[in-house]
Amino acid sequence: MPELPEVETLVQELRPQVTGRRIDDVILHWPGCVATPSPRAFIRRMKGRIIREVRRRGKFLWFVLDHGAWLVHLKMTGRLFLLPMSEPDPHARADFVMDDGRILRFQDLRKFGRLYWVPDPEPFFRPLGPEPLDPRFRPEDLARQLAGRRGRLKALLLNQSVMAGIGNIYADEALWRAGLHPMRSAASLNGEEIRRLWKGIREALLAGLRHHGTTIQWYRRPEGSSGAHQRYLRVYGRAGRPCFRCGTPIVRQVLQGRSAYFCPVCQR
Ligand SMILES: [Zn+2]
């Protein structure tokens, strides 16, 4: 599933291309991709809108419109492509025809991704925790978000109300960088460990962003190319290979129903 660095890459690459453009037409190839309002109302709301800004909140792409907001959640296999012209694609779910003739296409093989039009995105985003790359997000804020939470670190990092934007890959990468075991409880962390976790989260996400995201299988950039961060992962997908810090073979274990890659020696 695309996580914060992948969605942020899409946002940064789409921003200069579509900001200021008008959406002249909306073609729903599979109306089930619209979560709200009804597909017919979605088309009516979206047609003729001008894209004022392209932003991100958690794993949502957020197109600020001249009236309301268009949100996209890619879920497992969703992709957004900017095409010079329409071309046949059996997995195209929705096409947005821009006033310069280009097509912003939502493609989704497994059909879990969703599109939303909302008059005001604030209530929609209210359940989400803070943005870990927000410069105002400090170690004290992470401590506050974790305080009183039951559960293990891996599950807490995946919980979008603790922090928005992290999924399986960057949770494992952050915990490896912090030297913390995925099954540690939040309550057992001391101040120094919280600080390490805060730093690990930010460094893992920034590294992913620097390489335009991680392509394990599905994720693509708007013009169709892959991200490059899969070549730089420290722990995710490295089962059996030596830990970059201590040489111990990395293990993959299913913990509370979630797979986790970690070093059994230097993550404590
Ligand atoms: Zn190690």
Side-chain angles (χ1 to χ4, degrees), residues 36-250:
T36 189
S38 69
R40 191 181 298 187
F42 178 81
I43 292 173
R44 201 170 56 235
R45 296 294 192 185
M46 290 288 293
K47 246 180 166 174
R49 294 280 67 79
I50 292 165
I51 298 173
R52 295 283 188 217
E53 260 185 86
V54 188
R55 303 176 66 175
R56 181 190 55 75
R57 182 72 174 94
K59 298 177 196 170
F60 287 91
L61 283 107
W62 170 13
F63 296 85
V64 179
L65 306 172
D66 57 344
H67 178 57
W70 172 31
L71 311 176
V72 180
H73 199 301
L74 300 168
K75 290 290 167 87
M76 305 285 289
T77 57
R79 293 165 168 174
L80 276 178
F81 289 125
L82 194 58
L83 307 171
M85 62 186 77
S86 189
E87 52 187 65
D89 176 353
H91 306 305
R93 306 302 175 205
D95 281 348
F96 300 85
V97 183
M98 301 287 136
D99 59 354
D100 60 359
R102 289 187 295 176
I103 313 282
L104 186 52
R105 168 166 287 174
F106 175 60
Q107 184 215 58
D108 191 11
L109 177 77
R110 293 186 61 187
K111 297 183 170 178
F112 291 118
R114 289 295 178 266
L115 311 178
Y116 310 73
W117 179 87
V118 291
D120 172 11
E122 284 314 318
F124 191 88
F125 291 147
R126 205 166 287 144
L128 297 176
E131 289 288 330
L133 291 185
D134 187 329
R136 291 165 299 185
F137 181 70
R138 308 303 303 163
E140 310 82 81
D141 301 304
L142 177 60
R144 198 173 312 122
Q145 287 301 107
L146 292 175
R149 300 250 189 191
R150 298 157 66 91
R152 310 293 167 171
L153 285 185
K154 173 73 188 263
L156 289 169
L157 292 186
L158 297 177
N159 181 338
Q160 300 300 295
S161 69
V162 172
M163 227 176 320
I166 297 176
N168 234 349
I169 295 176
Y170 296 97
D172 285 357
E173 293 292 297
L175 289 168
W176 183 86
R177 284 171 184 265
L180 295 169
H181 194 284
M183 287 299 277
R184 277 285 292 276
S185 68
S188 72
L189 298 182
N190 62 35
E192 193 262 330
E193 288 171 322
I194 294 262
R195 205 187 155 72
R196 258 164 42 204
L197 180 57
W198 173 83
K199 194 161 171 271
I201 290 165
R202 292 175 56 92
E203 286 178 354
L205 294 171
L206 287 169
L209 192 52
R210 201 156 53 237
H211 301 123
H212 310 289
T214 303
T215 298
I216 301 293
Q217 197 178 0
W218 285 105
Y219 165 71
R220 293 289 182 281
R221 294 161 66 183
E223 89 298 355
S225 66
S226 296
H229 193 55
Q230 61 281 6
R231 299 201 287 269
Y232 303 90
L233 294 171
R234 304 287 178 91
V235 69
Y236 184 88
R238 299 191 67 252
R241 295 163 69 191
C243 172
F244 284 124
R245 200 161 37 217
C246 74
T248 308
I250 298 297

